[in-house]
Amino acid sequence: MNIWLLKCGEPVPTGPDFPERLHRTGTLAHVAAAAGHRVTWWTSTFDRVRRQNLYAADTILQHSPGLEIRLLHTPGYSGSISLARIRDQRLLAGKFARYARQQPPPDVILCALPIIELCEASVRYGQEMGVPVVLDMRDMWPDIIVDIFPAPLRLFARLMLAPMFSAARFACSQATAITGINDIFVDWGLARGNRAKTSLDRSFPLGYTV
């Protein structure tokens, strides 16, 4: 199978001696490639932990046989909750939408939420190209952004974030399947998309290699 994985914010293995432990998407990418699948991991050049760009331009890494990592350059941001981050994520989704249409379509796409903008872009691409898209619920965005505001300001925050709520509803409602790190997250994604649960919607607990 030709598999596309979309996830930012995880450690990206930039070489064979990469010291950090891989997270959910990184582990899945390696396992799938080792099983003989062709895997493309779309991510950002921006390292959100160190708040710096790993590369100064779009970069493609042929990490191992069967695994290609496409890092799309964005300016980055300093604040986890900021307009700069929203702008960064929109730029990233726009780049993916353009570059994806220059590649042969995959057999399936697995996109993590967040990033909401990438989820929306991947679902729209999937609809256009006839590619099934699975959304993997990692965090309850944008709900958690609203929750950090004092109670009197939460309605205002929800109104300000209306485009993100709309994008999340669209992506979750139109995705082929909803997965997540636990059943609560899967149920949240189904509720966000106002959809009934099917046999394709299920949780896969976090795991890691040692």
Side-chain angles (χ1 to χ4, degrees):
M1 290 182 67
N2 180 9
I3 303 170
W4 284 4
L5 305 177
L6 280 68
K7 172 59 181 165
C8 300
E10 288 192 8
V12 176
T14 54
D17 299 323
F18 183 72
E20 295 186 58
R21 177 176 62 81
L22 296 178
H23 293 182
R24 186 176 175 94
T25 296
T27 300
L28 176 60
H30 278 75
V31 170
H37 300 290
R38 184 153 55 96
V39 181
T40 301
W41 178 4
W42 298 80
T43 186
S44 172
T45 58
F46 182 66
D47 184 331
R48 71 173 190 180
V49 175
R50 297 175 178 83
R51 293 291 194 266
Q52 64 185 25
N53 264 300
L54 300 174
Y55 300 95
D58 299 335
T59 301
I60 299 176
L61 301 178
Q62 295 294 339
H63 181 267
S64 60
L67 174 55
E68 178 180 273
I69 303 175
R70 289 181 169 260
L71 298 103
L72 306 181
H73 184 267
T74 61
Y77 50 87
S78 57
S80 295
I81 307 297
S82 63
L83 292 176
R85 180 171 185 176
I86 294 174
R87 176 177 177 270
D88 185 84
Q89 293 176 170
R90 288 178 177 173
L91 289 172
L92 178 67
K95 274 196 168 184
F96 165 76
R98 292 194 304 273
Y99 293 167
R101 287 164 174 80
Q102 300 171 10
Q103 307 298 317
D107 296 306
V108 65
I109 296 173
L110 175 63
C111 182
L113 190 156
I115 295 173
I116 293 172
E117 294 83 357
L118 271 181
C119 290
E120 180 183 23
S122 65
V123 169
R124 292 192 185 279
Y125 172 86
Q127 290 179 329
E128 177 184 334
M129 305 301 291
V131 176
V133 178
V134 180
L135 298 187
D136 191 39
M137 304 293 109
R138 304 288 191 88
D139 219 337
M140 297 178 181
W141 275 57
D143 300 49
I144 61 170
I145 303 177
V146 174
D147 291 342
I148 69 172
F149 283 81
L153 297 178
R154 287 177 185 168
L155 177 58
F156 171 76
R158 186 172 287 272
L159 291 173
M160 290 291 294
L161 296 172
M164 294 181 72
F165 277 98
S166 177
R169 282 194 301 270
F170 168 81
C172 289
S173 68
Q174 300 300 310
T176 308
I178 300 290
T179 62
I181 58 177
N182 56 41
D183 290 339
I184 293 174
F185 278 64
V186 173
D187 291 343
W188 177 86
L190 294 172
R192 175 62 64 216
N194 191 27
R195 56 190 284 172
K197 189 174 185 177
T198 73
S199 60
L200 298 177
D201 305 314
R202 59 181 66 187
S203 64
F204 295 92
L206 286 168
Y208 60 91
T209 56
V210 293

